[in-house]
């Protein structure tokens, strides 16, 4: 089959929710992902499977699912990376709301219905974030909250640690003239999410539902090299969001790995940090060493320690 955009049309109305799944080398996990959605009590959705030029059996599996359920559409396209695949799904989506699920992940039962109920009951919500579970443990469980100030949300929830798109639902109109960067890169979510936040002007969080992240040692984030981590750090440093002590320490940890792998120093400038705001002995010692010795010497010490 030649690579070209095509999909099986739905019969009729626009859906409440469009669930976009980029698919690449997913023959072992795609069934689990799709089944977790089809088992939901809420059913006013469409699933858009975007086959991103996958060389395995994934394209055939996608087509098989589309034949089974009329709410499932398939787009076959040349490989452009997960961001480009998401963009193709967004362009084809008919839903009022968008959700993204990676093909090697899943959602827990009874996830979609409470999320849609929440946004229906509170029309001021344009972005809703929900919990993530990793390797059988709770990794991130937000409280029920509405943040009318995105800077407050960014710092109080440490949102820079969970900029990923997959544990959120977005009002589709937020993506007008905004798209994911093309190519296989680390930090595509970190690049786009602050822009979506500024456009929305607010964000809500809920403890309902759960996104299940399955660790994939072959994922882009797991195999990132020094230059990719440097790009991630550059994205964070240019996102325009407030940098408090906790955010600075998060960025400092990335910088330490970037220097160890590439020798690059990117985290310059003066930031408002207080040692007593750092959580944990290790973080306090790291910040104290940074203040006394400076960034370059701290990076050198870290590199020596990691080499033994």
């Amino acid at each position: 089959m030649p690579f070209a955009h095509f999909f099986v049309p739905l019969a009729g109305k626009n859906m409440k929710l469009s669930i976009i799944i980029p698919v690449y080398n997913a023959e072992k996990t795609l069934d689990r992902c799709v089944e977790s959605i089809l088992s939901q009590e809420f059913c006013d959705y469409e699933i858009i499977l975007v086959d991103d030029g996958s060389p395995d059996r994934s394209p055939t599996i996608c087509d098989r699912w589309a034949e089974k359920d009329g709410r499932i559409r398939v787009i076959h396209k040349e490989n452009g990376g997960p961001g480009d695949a998401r963009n193709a799904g967004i362009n084809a989506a008919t839903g009022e709301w968008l959700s993204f699920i990676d093909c090697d992940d899943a959602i827990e039962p009874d996830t979609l219905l409470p999320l849609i109920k929440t946004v229906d009951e509170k029309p001021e919500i344009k972005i809703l974030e929900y919990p993530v579970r990793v390797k059988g443990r709770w990794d991130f469980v937000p409280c029920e909250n509405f943040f009318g100030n995105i800077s407050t949300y960014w710092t109080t929830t440490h949102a820079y640690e969970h900029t990923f798109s997959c544990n959120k639902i977005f009002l589709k109109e937020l993506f007008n003239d905004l798209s994911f960067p093309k190519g296989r890169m680390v930090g595509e979510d970190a690049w786009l999410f602050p822009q979506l936040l500024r456009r929305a002007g607010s964000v809500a969080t809920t403890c309902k539902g759960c996104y299940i992240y399955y660790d994939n040692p072959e994922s882009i984030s797991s195999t990132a090299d020094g230059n990719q981590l440097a790009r991630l750090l550059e994205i964070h440093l240019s996102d325009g969001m407030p940098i408090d002590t906790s955010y600075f320490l998060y960025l400092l940890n990335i910088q330490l790995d970037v220097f160890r792998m590439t020798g690059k120093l990117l985290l310059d400038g003066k930031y408002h940090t207080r040692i007593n705001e750092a959580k944990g002995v290790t973080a306090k010692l790291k910040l104290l060493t940074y203040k006394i010795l400076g960034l370059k010497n701290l990076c050198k010490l870290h590199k020596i320690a990691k080499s033994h």
Side-chain angles (χ1 to χ4, degrees), residues 47 67 78 81 143 158 223-224 277 307:
I47 300 174
E67 292 172 358
E78 294 182 352
C143 300
H158 297 180
T223 59
E277 292 177 350
S307 65

Side-chain angles (χ1 to χ4, degrees), residues 217-264:
E218 298 180 358
S219 68
I220 298 173
S221 58
S222 298
T223 59
D225 60 24
N227 289 324
Q228 289 173 314
L229 288 177
R231 174 59 180 156
L232 174 62
L233 182 55
E234 289 172 342
I235 289 171
H236 276 288
L237 292 174
S238 63
D239 63 23
M241 304 303 282
I243 299 178
D244 62 0
T245 299
S246 294
Y247 192 14
F248 175 79
L249 282 166
Y250 175 79
L251 299 177
L252 181 58
N253 286 333
I254 301 175
Q255 170 64 86
L256 292 174
D257 285 333
V258 169
F259 183 86
R260 176 175 57 85
M261 301 167 77
T262 70
K264 294 179 180 178

